[in-house]
Amino acid sequence: MTARLLLVRHGQTVWHAENRYAGISDVPLTDAGLRQAEELARWAVARSREAPVHAVVSSPLGRARRTAGPAARALGLTPVVHEGLREADFGWGEGRTIAEMTADDPEKVRAFQEDAETGAFPGSEPPGAVAARVCAALREVAAEHDGRTALVVAHNTAFRIALCAMLGIPVGRYRHVLPRLDNAAVTEIEVSGDRTALRALNVPTAVQQGAADQTATAAGLAG
């Protein structure tokens, strides 16, 4: 049997405007992020009419839980929090912008941008550890919903690293292979045992989105 997972990055946060690295920091959603959560709920209901969504699972961080909440309510489901889905801890980079870090130590930033695994920020959770944790969480969700579909709301970097690991791509290349996952967009995978198939990447859930929201969403590149 195969489980289908609809992976969704949380809505826009207050750190997006400055593109700060929000890892374990519990940063709230903006008004635009709250609207994205409502758009996701409408999308989930429409999707469920075609193929039922059986579960909503979320990272423990508030921005993910707040994004998942409207979809769960709209589907008549109780969201489940999975600790393994939390975002990576960026250590030295947590809460900072690339410009701020470059001013302090351009060599550390260069090493990270070249290979995020060998050049991981000091004090950060290594990409390999992130991959092990998030892949295990996603496979647990898949095993619990074998033959069904689950909506999983978590984070930009956590998902990109896990996707690379599950698809056989070196995790240190995640920033190059998957530059970003958009806020409240859906990436769909099928999981069967240790096999993973990518069915869709970064599909928008909003039918229409204002120019200001698009600009703010595009700013969310950190990770």
Side-chain angles (χ1 to χ4, degrees):
M1 295 289 286
T2 299
R4 189 164 294 188
L5 304 185
L6 308 174
L7 310 181
V8 180
R9 182 188 180 188
H10 60 77
Q12 181 200 103
T13 74
V14 297
W15 279 3
H16 275 85
E18 296 178 318
N19 200 23
R20 295 188 178 277
Y21 277 74
I24 59 172
S25 303
D26 215 351
V27 185
L29 298 182
T30 61
D31 288 343
L34 295 172
R35 289 195 297 274
Q36 289 166 343
E38 296 297 335
E39 290 281 4
L40 173 62
R42 287 189 282 274
W43 179 91
V45 169
R47 167 60 185 259
S48 203
R49 292 191 192 107
E50 300 174 4
V53 176
H54 302 93
V56 175
V57 185
S58 169
S59 152
L61 292 171
R63 58 190 184 270
R65 290 187 288 107
R66 183 63 186 83
T67 302
R73 289 192 295 273
L75 294 168
L77 299 170
T78 300
V80 175
V81 171
H82 196 305
E83 292 291 331
L85 294 170
R86 68 186 182 278
E87 180 60 298
D89 182 346
F90 291 112
W92 178 70
E94 189 76 20
R96 309 179 77 193
T97 67
I98 285 290
E100 290 169 348
M101 289 184 279
T102 300
D104 282 353
D105 194 327
E107 179 56 29
K108 282 190 177 72
V109 174
R110 185 205 62 76
F112 170 72
Q113 291 178 329
E114 186 172 298
D115 188 308
E117 186 169 33
T118 60
F121 291 145
S124 66
E125 184 180 11
V130 176
R133 169 172 59 80
V134 181
C135 288
L138 292 176
R139 294 196 188 282
E140 284 178 19
V141 173
E144 290 170 4
H145 300 285
D146 200 13
R148 300 187 296 173
T149 298
L151 180 70
V152 184
V153 182
H155 307 277
N156 187 34
T157 297
F159 274 154
R160 288 185 294 158
I161 289 174
L163 283 167
C164 283
M166 295 174 84
L167 296 171
I169 300 166
V171 296
R173 300 284 298 164
Y174 78 86
R175 300 182 72 256
H176 304 279
V177 177
L178 299 170
R180 76 166 184 265
L181 299 180
D182 293 329
N183 294 109
V186 176
T187 292
E188 183 174 338
I189 60 174
E190 287 184 349
V191 179
S192 178
D194 61 357
R195 297 191 302 275
T196 302
L198 179 65
R199 293 185 56 89
L201 179 67
N202 227 15
V203 177
T205 53
V207 176
Q208 292 183 330
Q209 189 176 36
D213 286 358
Q214 289 182 8
T215 300
T217 297
L221 301 177

